Amino acid sequence: MSEPKIQMACDRDQLAKMAAGRIVEAAEGAIGKTGRFSLVLSGGSTPKALYELLAEAPYKDQVEWDKVHIFFGDERCVAPDHADSNYRMANEAMLSKLPIPPAQVHRMRGEIAPVDAAAEYDALLRSFFAIDGPDVVLLGLGDDAHTASLFPHTAALSADDKLCVSNWVEKLKATRLTMTASFLNRAHEVIFLVAGATKADAVRQVLEGESDPDRLPAQRIKPSDGQLIWLLDVQAAEMEQSQ
Ligand code: 6PG
């Protein structure tokens, strides 16, 4: 794996623009090479501005959306119209505004039994990515250094024989669906999108602290052959700069 690239944005708007530029570039390359582009979306609130940007000119006119396949890195165990649904956020911000064929938006079914939803998604990933990995994976970072729904000291961290699992998260008293680190590491490119001062300590520990992948799950993300990019706004990078 090549060294992570760390790129700084002055604010959240620039962060979204930097990520959108990378995605457009990666989509052009992948579609030119394989005829399709697979993009794994992250949940939470940070990527919303990016999703809204991709659904507007000029970005929406720069991607052959009919050749794009959308996946989700994780999902809450709720219905797709629930306020907490990562799918709902992405659909409202972007997917509903772009000409992506509905059959190419691969939702994790949070509304069914988590074990069944995880097994269903695991099978989908094994079939779609039989010989390859996702072109681009977007990830966020929690202030506890979780990413996707790979939370510290949870069972999903040791489920690397699977591609997608259901994961009980004690601190949330909730079950989540999540791609595993081993699958995420098959990506051609992983982009962490991190903003805000509350994330600065987690960024510093993950990038500069001791290796402790059970306590700092984001440290497990090391694409085997792919590129790892950290897009940080100045606030999230603050502890990083002060070291
Ligand atoms: C989720 C995400 C999760 C998120 C981080 C950061 O389902 O919540 O997948 O990993 O990316 O918690 O969330 P924010 O962007 O809201 O800070």
Side-chain angles (χ1 to χ4, degrees):
M1 180 208 135
S2 53
E3 277 304 301
K5 263 190 205 163
I6 300 166
Q7 297 172 351
M8 214 88 71
C10 59
D11 58 24
R12 288 174 184 254
D13 283 350
Q14 191 189 25
L15 192 71
K17 285 180 182 143
M18 288 166 72
R22 265 308 311 138
I23 290 167
V24 166
E25 198 178 325
E28 189 179 355
I31 291 168
K33 196 171 158 202
T34 67
R36 71 186 193 184
F37 175 58
S38 49
L39 175 61
V40 177
L41 300 182
S42 81
S45 56
T46 303
K48 189 171 180 212
L50 165 60
Y51 300 162
E52 290 167 341
L53 205 56
L54 288 170
E56 295 164 4
Y59 303 101
K60 72 172 179 154
D61 304 317
Q62 295 172 346
V63 177
E64 292 178 84
W65 296 105
D66 62 321
K67 297 187 174 67
V68 173
H69 285 258
I70 297 288
F71 297 85
F72 290 82
D74 71 328
E75 186 54 280
R76 290 80 182 280
C77 293
V78 294
D81 59 356
H82 190 284
D84 291 348
S85 164
N86 288 336
Y87 165 80
R88 174 175 163 178
M89 184 274 279
N91 189 46
E92 289 176 348
M94 176 172 84
L95 302 177
S96 57
K97 302 170 185 172
L98 291 172
I100 304 172
Q104 293 176 201
V105 177
H106 307 284
R107 189 172 67 79
M108 288 181 173
R109 290 205 295 159
E111 69 273 25
I112 67 174
V115 172
D116 296 341
E120 178 182 81
Y121 214 74
D122 187 280
L124 166 70
L125 296 177
R126 286 180 195 281
S127 157
F128 192 93
F129 297 105
I131 51 168
D132 205 347
D135 293 306
V136 171
V137 169
L138 294 173
L139 289 173
L141 184 75
D143 57 11
D144 61 355
H146 81 263
T147 190
S149 282
L150 300 168
F151 283 81
H153 310 301
T154 57
L157 300 187
S158 50
D160 280 340
D161 56 323
K162 301 279 189 200
L163 309 188
C164 180
V165 292
S166 61
N167 191 32
W168 171 254
V169 184
E170 183 60 28
K171 72 182 277 191
L172 302 177
K173 295 281 189 273
T175 299
R176 291 280 190 91
L177 301 171
T178 186
M179 287 180 176
T180 58
S182 55
F183 177 71
L184 292 168
N185 284 331
R186 286 171 46 186
H188 292 278
E189 183 167 323
V190 174
I191 302 174
F192 274 96
L193 206 61
V194 190
T198 61
K199 306 295 176 73
D201 185 45
V203 168
R204 178 183 52 77
Q205 289 194 59
V206 168
L207 291 178
E208 298 212 344
E210 293 294 310
S211 173
D212 190 350
D214 283 339
R215 186 175 63 87
L216 306 168
Q219 285 185 338
R220 291 169 177 272
I221 306 305
K222 298 182 172 140
S224 329
D225 304 318
Q227 175 64 57
L228 176 57
I229 300 174
W230 284 77
L231 295 184
L232 307 170
D233 75 348
V234 170
Q235 287 188 324
E238 192 172 5
M239 298 290 268
E240 167 87 352
Q241 281 175 327
S242 61
Q243 294 314 309

